[in-house]
Amino acid sequence: MLIPFEQLNPATLQSLLEEYATREGTEYGEREVALSEKVSSLRRQLQSGEVVIWFDAGEASVNLVLARDLSQGV
């Protein structure tokens, strides 16, 4: 289920973005990137529509996914 980010409480959205940015496997290569930069980048991607918030009811989990992947059966 697609969750419009605009409908989330700002604090909830911030927590979601921070949690996602600190997950294992979200490293940004050889250079260190501050959490605030990662969160800002994710927020811009949400605002542009490149990334969306996806809730998987079967797994009761929330994830950020590329919008183009939705048509491929996320």
Side-chain angles (χ1 to χ4, degrees), residues 35-50:
L35 178 60
S36 61
E37 289 182 57
K38 293 176 184 180
V39 169
S40 293
S41 176
L42 290 169
R43 191 178 300 275
R44 282 192 301 274
Q45 292 174 65
L46 280 170
Q47 291 169 338
S48 73
E50 180 182 353

Side-chain angles (χ1 to χ4, degrees), residues 5-53:
F5 75 92
E6 303 92 342
Q7 293 182 3
L8 293 178
N9 175 293
T12 301
L13 178 59
Q14 181 70 22
S15 293
L16 173 66
L17 295 175
E18 289 176 1
E19 187 277 328
Y20 184 83
T22 58
R23 286 184 188 175
E24 192 87 24
T26 58
E27 291 81 23
Y28 285 66
E30 292 183 21
R31 71 179 186 98
E32 275 297 312
V33 177
L35 178 60
S36 61
E37 289 182 57
K38 293 176 184 180
V39 169
S40 293
S41 176
L42 290 169
R43 191 178 300 275
R44 282 192 301 274
Q45 292 174 65
L46 280 170
Q47 291 169 338
S48 73
E50 180 182 353
V51 168
V52 296
I53 300 171

Side-chain angles (χ1 to χ4, degrees), residues 54 68-74:
W54 183 258
R68 68 174 183 246
D69 289 346
L70 289 180
S71 63
Q72 298 173 1
V74 170

